[in-house]
Amino acid sequence: MRVSILAYDGCLAAEIFGLADVLLIANRIARLQQPRDAEPFQVTVIGVRGDSVQAAGGVRLGVQAPHPACDLLVAPAFDVAGLADIGRVLGGLGPEIAFLARAASRGPVAAVCGGAFLLGEAGLLAGRRATTAWAFAPELARRYPTALIDLDAMLVRDGPVTTTGAFSAAHDLAQELVRERAGDDLARALGKFTLLDGARASQAPYLDARMLAGPREGFSQGIIRWLEARLAEPYSLERLAAAFHVSSRTLLRRFKAETGRTPLEQLQDLRIGRAKHLLESTDLGLAQVAEQIGYLDLSTFSRLFARKADLTPSAYRRRFRPRAKLVSGWT
């Protein structure tokens, strides 16, 4: 399989090398397993403006000219100081975006993390399911409203277009390519050798609602603040509407138009976000955590948490609670 990775000024070099190096290791393991077989992957780092690019952080990378014989073209993410910076960065990547649009007419394309924005600018996400880093997903949905953005997914393939989750998802994409093109045996051997978890299917356990950009409109911002201040109180749409001096129907319509969701869905995410924080940072029992966010029935809380976080509360605590230092005297 011939994989081309598109490098450009300001790209995240680790996403390029993460994909390229995992596929290189897959080649080495494949050669050990079947010495007479050809290596399954040929990876090239390409650019469209010359023979080098300056990646994020000032690292300069040598690149090759694009080659038409390519089975998959991959766009990595770019460095941004914040969501407001995305438009400026995309405005300077016209040649890369045009190249992606042309390449997509000839074969499959993929994006790692925020590389999905380049695909969106190239018109490749219209009418398709897609994902990106969970922190950028709301902005991706806002910019490309005809795309169907799955905030939780680690990897989404819709026809010839593949998108992946956050920064480390370059490894997930590499493992998926190995599994598809070289088989489960090589994929398992690769995972064991590199200590990469090939079973990551969801970003949900890692999502931190406090880091998600809120809606820009004042009406829904006010509602979210009102809900945040009353996480443990019973939800009442009528009470919420009365607090904002509108009818229930008007509140639902306006909130949905600004956020794409209902106030109850927003409240559930806020509650689960608070529960995650309590599980990570306190010794509270599960029933106490549930009570602090408004659930007196532990089973109801546990089912909602598992649905939203893709882990049970106990499993979440085991994974994300800071562990004690392993060696006495470490600082």
Side-chain angles (χ1 to χ4, degrees):
M1 182 182 191
R2 295 160 298 189
V3 179
S4 292
I5 308 174
L6 178 62
Y8 52 89
D9 287 345
C11 66
L12 295 178
E15 294 186 357
I16 296 174
F17 295 134
L19 177 59
D21 286 350
V22 172
L23 294 180
L24 173 65
I25 294 170
N27 280 342
R28 299 294 184 258
I29 296 173
R31 180 58 63 89
L32 290 173
Q33 292 179 338
Q34 300 290 340
R36 297 178 182 176
D37 290 351
E39 294 181 340
F41 299 99
Q42 178 183 333
V43 180
T44 306
V45 180
I46 65 169
V48 298
R49 304 199 205 196
D51 58 5
S52 70
V53 302
Q54 184 166 304
V59 178
R60 185 153 291 278
L61 305 177
V63 298
Q64 299 183 34
H67 193 282
C70 171
D71 298 311
L72 179 68
L73 174 63
V74 183
F78 45 83
D79 176 44
V80 287
L83 293 180
D85 204 27
I86 290 176
R88 178 192 62 79
V89 173
L90 291 174
L93 295 176
E96 287 77 13
I97 292 165
F99 176 73
L100 283 164
R102 293 193 301 270
S105 67
R106 299 191 297 268
V109 296
V112 177
C113 186
F117 286 92
L118 277 74
L119 302 190
E121 288 294 300
L124 305 180
L125 300 184
R128 298 188 186 278
R129 290 181 59 248
T131 191
T132 188
W134 59 259
F136 294 151
E139 180 65 12
L140 188 70
R142 188 191 71 81
R143 284 181 172 269
Y144 313 109
T146 62
L148 308 173
I149 306 304
D150 188 338
L151 179 138
D152 293 339
M154 187 65 72
L155 186 148
V156 172
R157 177 176 287 116
D158 190 332
V161 177
T162 300
T163 49
T164 69
F167 183 75
S168 66
H171 297 151
D172 298 85
L173 176 60
Q175 289 173 290
E176 182 68 14
L177 294 176
V178 171
R179 187 176 299 107
E180 287 189 350
R181 293 301 180 113
D184 290 337
D185 288 345
L186 180 57
R188 280 192 293 269
L190 175 67
K192 290 177 180 178
F193 186 83
T194 58
L195 274 65
L196 292 175
D197 184 358
R200 297 198 308 174
S202 174
Q203 299 184 73
Y206 306 91
L207 191 151
D208 186 342
R210 295 167 298 179
M211 296 175 64
L212 283 172
R216 301 176 183 182
E217 292 80 1
F219 180 74
S220 52
Q221 282 183 336
I223 291 175
I224 291 171
R225 287 193 295 268
W226 194 92
L227 293 171
E228 283 179 320
R230 297 164 178 82
L231 288 184
E233 298 179 11
Y235 174 71
S236 168
L237 176 59
E238 292 73 21
R239 180 186 174 207
L240 179 59
F244 286 84
H245 310 292
V246 295
S247 69
S248 298
R249 180 176 295 181
T250 297
L251 185 141
L252 287 173
R253 176 179 55 78
R254 292 183 62 182
F255 193 85
K256 181 87 170 179
E258 293 181 7
T259 67
R261 59 217 322 242
T262 68
L264 179 57
E265 290 170 335
Q266 180 71 54
L267 175 61
Q268 288 175 337
D269 283 349
L270 292 170
R271 284 174 166 173
I272 295 305
R274 176 62 176 164
K276 286 180 175 180
H277 175 70
L278 293 173
L279 291 168
E280 293 171 24
S281 61
T282 75
D283 294 320
L284 293 175
L286 299 186
Q288 293 172 298
V289 171
E291 185 176 357
Q292 288 215 10
I293 62 169
Y295 293 98
L296 299 180
D297 180 40
L298 180 57
S299 62
T300 299
F301 161 69
S302 296
R303 285 195 301 271
L304 176 66
F305 190 96
R307 179 164 60 85
K308 293 285 189 178
D310 208 36
L311 289 172
T312 66
S314 296
Y316 182 90
R317 173 170 268 169
R318 287 194 298 271
R319 178 178 293 189
F320 292 103
R321 181 118 185 238
R323 298 178 181 178
K325 294 185 176 73
L326 297 178
V327 178
S328 177
W330 278 15
T331 57

